[in-house]
Amino acid sequence: MTKGAYSQIADEQLDALEAGDDAELYNAVLDACALIFEYPEKAQSLSTAITTAEGIRLRLPVAGHPPYKVFWSSQLPRIEAVFPHPSR
């Protein structure tokens, strides 16, 4: 990946998931990130948009692991955060 593809927050969250005891969740999150980087248009079609103080962020569900979501911005694309977040 290119420099800046992950925010510091996302890096820390991914490190915590990797160190955790749920390898399936970690791998599913990596799959979601790969989809974002390799097929951003497809990922965008599967995402919802939310407005944050930093601007619009897309929220992609992690397949098979609700309520986990990958929050990302489409400009680069860039992974901003990964955490459980309810759908509304």
Side-chain angles (χ1 to χ4, degrees), residues 2-6 36-37 40 72-80:
T2 60
K3 182 176 172 42
Y6 294 87
I36 290 166
F37 292 127
W72 61 290
S73 55
S74 60
Q75 281 101 0
L76 293 175
R78 174 182 153 110
I79 307 300
E80 302 295 343

Side-chain angles (χ1 to χ4, degrees), residues 3 6 10 21 29 36 39 44 46 71-72 79 84:
K3 182 176 172 42
Y6 294 87
D21 59 356
V29 168
I36 290 166
Y39 303 101
Q44 188 167 355
L46 298 171
F71 292 80
W72 61 290
I79 307 300

Side-chain angles (χ1 to χ4, degrees), residues 8 20 25 29 38 48 52 55 58 61-62 67 74 76 78-79 83:
Q8 181 178 347
L25 171 60
V29 168
E38 294 173 23
T48 56
T52 70
L58 298 166
V62 176
S74 60
L76 293 175
R78 174 182 153 110
I79 307 300
F83 60 90

Side-chain angles (χ1 to χ4, degrees), residues 48 59-62 65-71 81-87:
T48 56
R59 182 178 64 176
L60 179 66
V62 176
H65 295 277
Y68 275 86
K69 310 283 189 303
V70 174
F71 292 80
V82 178
F83 60 90
H85 191 266
S87 296

